[in-house]
């Protein structure tokens, strides 16, 4: 029997040898001493005896016996050699009693290289064993802040110290910290035996389902997909999934793993797809007898229209589509929905009530939107946000920076002092582009103009007092009034010498109703499905429409000179026709760095992810701790500066605790 096993293993080794030779790759096992520079090693640590994954045993420490094994650890020496006899003897031992004597290995960057026991590894790999008992010595590389692989490995060492798990690995920084936070393991703490078993079992359960479906085709660690899966379904849910349930959920979530493998995370749709406007029921109801059914559309609001100008603008959009479609549709609203507290519950409630399409107006509810969408593939869920790399939901937003550029032209013309104020909530995707576009518009008509930015999301920030202290009277404020608030400062205005008197020049408007109308027609006409299948690839789609689609507008008052109006309207038409690019040519930031060269145009991705302010902007980005809870939530989900996973997890837990405490009172 052992002879037959050896001959079978030998054939496997020779096939692997030939395959490597055909690819121009070394056919033998990697040798640690060939590529490891000992001068880069910080120290060695004895980890003692441990069960290590055989899949991570990839090579040998020295060149001895190099030609005896192919790169898959299968033998290459013919039968009749002393080597073959010893291999066969070990094969008999494994069959009869199991190989128990530990091998000796060096661990380097979470890969194992055999110092003693190559044949034992070969035999166990042949029999399909998962782990092997080993005495492990770790070679720790010197910390290199410029080497992302070393930084990830240092995170892994913290993770291993807490869990003693080495089968999970990631390709992205922050992932180990994120998994520990999701599992409730704090840095420096040690997981108990039950928690370790739960994590190992959940990962193995996922890995089996993932590989069974073809996960080996992806060119990144399985851990990357596992972490995405945990983020979507929740750690406790993943731990409690039975194998069949895990398999079903992996299948449902598969497009998310394909997105991880796709270089272009988000495909921006800059204009609506042309559709023939037809009666909604003609799409839904093929038989006249069924024409009592309505299309049901749900809206999720984080606040109420009475207290939030953002929600109020979406509420006007909801009312607009009710007028446009009349009794063909029915809309349902969920107000004051708190992200990560009751967002998922409210979405499920809408679906239970027969909703076909859900518009989620808060980017802070992305994960709940995704989780519900995966579980309910027949329901279309759209989230009002930017650059969300998920296949199962789509995002929508407007190129408001186009209207802000025009507003900036007006401000630059009307600000006698050359000082203009700009009110922004917090630095999230899109907001920085709006500020910079406004500053460029102002600079176009007044090269010496300065734009002073005040962040309304900062706790107890007296915006008006700060503007007054800087001699700023021409101000670009919130885009929409808030019905239940006394403040009526909105749009672009000048607060004149008389207290309480403002001269309004212009306002930029979000036409969410037009956006919703065109999105609904796109879904019902079949464009929704065609857009996802245009080139056969898996993409996350973001509808990023602008002036050309009629989803934003600038309204000018009679206080503006006719010449300024003419200039604004001329440039507006050029933008609509695609002849004028706002972010074209030389762009210099506050530190004097060139962000764009003459003759070049920023693409949508570069525009919405701007993490800098231009040289005529007077402001700095606020610290996270200075923001109010709502702004913190937005920065956590859509901030231009990505929070580290520990900070993000702590912030999420803190906001949850604060809300639940307030709710209890």
């Amino acid at each position: 029997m052992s002879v037959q096993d050896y001959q079978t293993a030998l054939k496997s080794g020779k096939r692997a040898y030939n395959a490597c030779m055909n690819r121009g790759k070394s056919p033998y096992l990697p040798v640690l001493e060939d590529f490891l520079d000992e001068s880069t090693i910080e120290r060695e640590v004895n980890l003692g005896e441990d069960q290590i994954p055989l899949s991570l045993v990839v090579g040998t420490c020295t060149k001895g016996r190099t030609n005896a094994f192919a790169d898959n650890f299968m033998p290459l020496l013919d039968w009749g050699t002393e080597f073959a006899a010893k291999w066969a003897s070990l094969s008999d031992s494994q069959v009869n009693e199991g190989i128990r004597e530990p091998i000796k290995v060096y661990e380097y960057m979470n890969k194992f290289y055999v110092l003693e026991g190559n044949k034992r590894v070969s035999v166990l790999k042949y029999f399909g064993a998962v782990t092997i008992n080993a005495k492990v010595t770790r070679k720790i590389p010197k910390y290199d802040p410029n080497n992302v692989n070393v930084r990830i490995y240092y995170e892994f060492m913290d993770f291993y110290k807490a869990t003693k798990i080495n089968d999970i690995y990631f390709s992205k920084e922050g992932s180990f910290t994120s998994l520990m936070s999701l599992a409730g393991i704090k840095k420096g703490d040690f997981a108990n035996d039950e928690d370790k078993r739960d994590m190992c079992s959940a990962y193995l359960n996922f890995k089996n389902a993932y590989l069974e479906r073809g996960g080996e085709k992806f060119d990144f660690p399985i851990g990357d997909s596992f972490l995405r899966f945990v983020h979507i379904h929740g750690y406790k849910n993943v731990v409690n999934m039975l194998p069949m349930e895990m398999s079903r959920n992996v299948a449902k979530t598969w497009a998310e793993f394909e997105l991880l493998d796709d270089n272009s995370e988000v495909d921006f749709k800059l204009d609506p797809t042309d559709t023939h406007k037809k009666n909604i029921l003609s799409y839904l109801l093929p038989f006249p007898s069924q024409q009592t059914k309505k299309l049901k559309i749900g809206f999720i609001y984080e606040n109420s229209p009475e207290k939030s100008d953002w929600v109020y603008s979406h509420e006007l959009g909801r009312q607009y589509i009710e007028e446009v479609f009349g009794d063909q549709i029915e809309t349902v609203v969920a107000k004051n929905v708190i992200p990560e507290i009751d967002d998922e519950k409210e979405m499920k409630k809408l679906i239970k009530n027969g909703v076909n399409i859900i518009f989620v107006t808060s980017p802070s509810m992305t994960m709940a939107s995704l989780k519900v969408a995966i579980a309910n593939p027949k329901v279309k869920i759209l989230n009002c946000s930017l650059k969300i790399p998920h296949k199962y939901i789509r995002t929508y937003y407007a190129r408001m920076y186009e209207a802000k550029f025009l507003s900036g032209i007006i401000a630059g013309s009307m600000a006698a002092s050359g000082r203009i104020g700009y009110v922004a909530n917090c630095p999230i995707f899109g907001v920085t582009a709006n500020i910079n576009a406004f500053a460029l518009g102002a600079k176009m008509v007044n090269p010496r103009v300065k734009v002073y930015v005040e962040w309304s999301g900062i706790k107890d920030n007296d915006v008006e007092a700060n503007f007054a202290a800087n001699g700023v009277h021409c101000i670009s404020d919130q885009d929409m009034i808030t019905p239940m608030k006394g403040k009526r400062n909105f749009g672009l205005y000048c607060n004149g010498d008389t207290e309480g008197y403002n001269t309004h020049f212009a306002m930029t408007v979000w036409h969410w109703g037009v956006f919703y109308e065109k999105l609904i027609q796109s879904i019902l006409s079949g464009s929704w499905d065609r857009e996802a299948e245009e080139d056969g690839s898996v993409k996350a789609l973001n509808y990023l429409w602008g002036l050309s689609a009629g989803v934003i507008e600038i309204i000018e008052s009679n206080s503006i000179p006719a010449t300024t109006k003419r200039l604004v309207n001329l440039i507006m038409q050029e933008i609509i026709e695609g002849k004028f690019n706002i972010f074209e040519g030389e762009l210099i930031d506050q530190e004097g760095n060139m962000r764009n060269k003459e003759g070049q145009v920023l693409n949508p991705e570069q525009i919405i992810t701007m993490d800098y302010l231009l040289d005529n902007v007077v402001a700095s980005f606020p610290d996270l701790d200075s923001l109010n809870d709502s702004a913190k939530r937005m920065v956590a989900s859509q901030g231009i500066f990505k929070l580290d996973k520990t900070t993000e997890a702590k912030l999420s837990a803190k906001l949850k605790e604060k809300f639940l405490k307030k709710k209890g009172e």
Side-chain angles (χ1 to χ4, degrees):
M1 185 67 179
S2 59
V3 176
Q4 184 179 345
D5 286 334
Y6 187 81
Q7 295 289 4
T8 304
L10 180 62
K11 287 180 182 179
S12 176
K14 288 185 175 180
R15 281 196 301 269
Y17 178 95
N18 291 330
C20 288
M21 292 296 288
N22 290 336
R23 296 197 304 268
K25 177 186 170 187
S26 171
Y28 303 114
L29 291 172
V31 179
L32 184 62
E33 65 182 16
D34 283 350
F35 63 84
L36 181 62
D37 182 357
E38 288 293 339
S39 66
T40 65
I41 298 300
E42 179 73 31
R43 65 186 186 278
E44 291 185 1
V45 177
N46 181 7
L47 299 181
E49 200 168 307
D50 194 9
Q51 285 288 325
I52 63 174
L54 269 167
S55 60
L56 297 180
V57 181
V58 298
T60 66
C61 290
T62 61
K63 293 182 179 179
R65 288 292 189 188
T66 299
N67 64 343
F69 299 97
D71 78 329
N72 64 349
F73 254 106
M74 292 299 102
L76 289 174
L77 302 182
D78 289 333
W79 180 254
T81 62
E82 181 185 1
F83 172 90
K86 289 181 178 179
W87 195 101
S89 176
L90 283 170
S91 173
D92 284 337
S93 296
Q94 173 62 15
V95 171
N96 296 327
E97 56 192 35
I99 295 174
R100 295 186 178 85
E101 185 182 356
I103 63 173
K104 292 181 180 179
V105 297
Y106 277 111
E107 184 254 287
Y108 174 68
M109 298 290 284
N110 200 37
K111 294 288 191 298
F112 297 95
Y113 300 86
V114 182
L115 181 63
E116 182 184 299
N118 288 304
K119 286 188 286 294
R120 276 169 276 170
V121 171
S122 179
V123 169
L124 286 174
K125 278 181 177 277
Y126 169 78
F127 281 105
V130 176
T131 63
I132 188 171
N133 196 26
K135 293 179 179 179
V136 184
T137 301
R138 171 176 287 164
K139 287 182 177 286
I140 300 177
K142 291 178 180 177
Y143 185 76
D144 182 356
N146 299 315
N147 188 326
V148 65
N149 292 324
V150 171
R151 296 201 304 270
I152 292 172
Y153 181 70
Y154 268 70
E155 288 183 5
F156 161 74
M157 287 193 292
D158 288 336
F159 173 77
Y160 179 81
K161 185 177 180 181
T163 64
K164 296 295 186 246
I165 297 172
N166 47 28
D167 196 22
I168 303 175
Y169 210 77
F170 303 103
S171 66
K172 295 179 181 177
E173 200 171 358
S175 297
F176 284 108
T177 309
S178 179
L179 181 58
M180 288 174 69
S181 297
L182 291 167
I185 304 169
K186 296 179 181 178
K187 186 175 180 180
D189 286 355
F190 298 96
N192 60 43
D193 290 341
E194 184 179 355
D195 291 339
K196 292 177 190 177
R197 283 195 299 270
D198 283 346
M199 185 176 290
C200 285
S201 176
Y203 178 72
L204 182 60
N205 199 3
F206 172 84
K207 182 179 178 181
N208 290 338
Y210 180 78
L211 292 177
E212 185 178 337
R213 192 173 172 82
E216 71 281 347
K217 71 177 183 179
F218 298 126
D219 190 25
F220 50 80
I222 297 173
D224 288 1
S225 292
F226 178 65
L227 184 60
R228 175 68 68 95
F229 188 79
V230 170
H231 270 294
I232 293 168
H233 296 281
Y235 183 76
K236 289 184 179 178
N237 291 332
V238 172
V239 165
N240 292 323
M241 282 181 191
L242 297 173
M244 286 297 294
E245 185 183 6
M246 179 72 77
S247 185
R248 285 195 301 270
N249 284 319
V250 165
K252 287 181 179 179
T253 318
W254 196 254
E256 286 294 304
F257 310 141
E258 292 179 313
L259 275 178
L260 287 173
D261 197 41
D262 193 353
N263 290 328
S264 56
E265 287 187 331
V266 179
D267 180 27
F268 294 99
K269 298 294 181 184
L270 302 181
D271 288 292
T273 303
D274 290 331
T275 59
H276 297 291
K277 189 172 181 179
K278 297 165 66 177
N279 185 294
I280 283 182
L281 297 180
S282 67
Y283 295 112
L284 297 179
L285 308 173
F287 305 110
S289 61
Q290 292 178 296
Q291 292 188 5
T292 56
K293 184 179 178 182
K294 294 183 178 182
L295 179 68
K296 211 166 184 179
I297 303 169
F299 288 82
I300 300 281
Y301 298 153
E302 184 175 342
N303 211 315
S304 67
E306 296 79 15
K307 295 181 180 179
S308 165
D309 59 305
W310 175 256
V311 173
Y312 183 47
S313 65
H314 284 279
E315 174 62 11
L316 292 177
R318 184 191 68 81
Q319 294 175 13
Y320 172 88
I321 61 169
E322 282 196 332
E323 288 185 20
V324 169
F325 294 115
D327 59 5
Q328 299 173 59
I329 69 169
E330 177 186 349
T331 64
V332 187
V333 176
K335 303 177 186 177
N336 297 310
V337 179
I338 308 300
E340 298 187 46
I341 301 293
D342 53 3
D343 48 2
E344 185 181 339
K345 180 183 71 175
E346 290 297 333
M347 290 178 212
K348 288 180 178 178
K349 190 184 296 183
L350 290 178
I351 292 172
K352 189 176 181 180
N353 289 334
V355 164
N356 310 103
I357 303 169
I358 301 177
F359 292 109
V360 182
T361 61
S362 169
S364 302
M365 301 181 191
T366 300
M367 293 314 297
S369 302
L370 180 59
K371 186 174 180 180
V372 173
I374 289 173
N376 300 274
K378 292 183 179 180
V379 179
K380 303 290 190 294
I381 298 180
L382 298 97
N383 187 284
C384 187
S385 54
L386 278 167
K387 204 180 178 319
I388 299 295
H390 297 296
K391 170 67 179 175
Y392 296 95
I393 59 173
R394 298 191 188 176
T395 53
Y396 62 101
Y397 208 76
R399 300 195 298 271
M400 180 51 79
Y401 58 82
E402 295 176 348
K404 291 296 183 183
F405 177 81
L406 300 174
S407 179
I409 293 175
I410 297 170
S413 302
M414 304 305 295
S417 67
R419 297 184 174 199
I420 305 171
Y422 189 103
V423 180
N425 188 352
C426 56
I428 60 174
F429 290 142
V431 167
T432 315
N434 292 347
I435 296 170
N436 286 335
F438 181 87
L440 284 173
K443 192 175 185 178
M444 186 180 196
V445 294
N446 184 351
R448 291 174 295 279
V449 75
K450 296 290 183 184
V451 176
Y452 291 76
V453 176
E454 287 293 327
W455 304 99
S456 61
I458 292 178
K459 291 175 284 192
D460 303 320
N461 188 26
D462 193 335
V463 171
E464 293 180 9
N466 292 340
F467 281 144
N470 285 303
V472 174
H473 299 287
C474 185
I475 300 167
S476 174
D477 211 317
Q478 63 188 45
D479 297 315
M480 175 70 66
I481 61 171
T482 306
M484 294 296 288
K485 293 184 179 179
K487 183 181 177 182
R488 287 294 183 267
N489 293 341
F490 63 94
L492 180 66
Y493 63 90
C494 178
N495 56 5
D497 296 331
T498 306
E499 187 177 349
Y501 174 75
N502 292 337
T503 302
H504 285 267
F505 299 131
M507 65 180 292
T508 52
V509 180
W510 304 77
H511 286 307
W512 290 118
V514 176
F515 217 129
Y516 290 134
E517 178 191 7
K518 293 186 177 184
L519 281 173
I520 291 167
Q521 290 290 353
S522 172
I523 291 170
L524 297 171
S525 70
S527 297
W528 171 282
D529 296 319
R530 288 196 298 274
E531 286 166 342
E533 299 166 359
E534 279 179 353
D535 60 2
S537 66
V538 177
K539 292 182 178 178
L541 298 182
N542 180 204
Y543 300 102
L544 186 62
W545 301 342
L547 288 167
S548 59
V551 298
I552 55 171
E553 182 186 6
I554 182 166
I555 300 174
E556 304 151 284
S557 79
N558 293 327
S559 303
I560 302 171
T563 52
T564 302
K565 276 190 177 182
R566 185 181 177 193
L567 175 63
V568 168
N569 292 332
L570 281 171
I571 294 178
M572 184 193 305
Q573 192 58 37
E574 293 283 294
I575 293 172
I576 290 172
E577 294 176 6
K579 298 176 181 177
F580 183 90
N581 293 297
I582 293 168
F583 295 107
E584 180 177 8
E586 188 175 272
L587 298 176
I588 308 296
D589 68 17
Q590 291 174 321
E591 282 72 43
N593 302 310
M594 184 176 290
R595 296 292 186 158
N596 197 54
K597 295 179 180 179
E598 197 63 45
Q600 295 182 347
V601 181
L602 295 185
N603 61 39
E605 172 94 9
Q606 292 170 318
I607 293 171
I608 66 172
T609 58
M610 283 179 169
D611 57 359
Y612 57 88
L613 297 170
L614 294 180
D615 55 358
N616 66 325
V617 177
V618 182
S620 59
F621 293 117
D623 296 325
L624 182 67
D625 291 338
S626 68
L627 299 174
N628 59 41
D629 289 348
S630 176
K632 283 179 180 177
R633 240 191 312 261
M634 286 192 287
V635 168
S637 62
Q638 288 270 284
I640 57 172
F641 303 113
K642 190 64 180 173
L643 303 180
D644 65 78
K645 299 297 182 181
T646 303
T647 302
E648 188 176 337
K650 285 181 179 177
L651 174 61
S652 177
K654 188 176 180 181
L655 291 174
K656 278 185 182 180
E657 183 182 355
K658 185 179 288 188
F659 171 77
L660 292 171
K661 184 178 179 182
K662 186 177 179 181
K663 193 174 183 181
E665 293 172 349

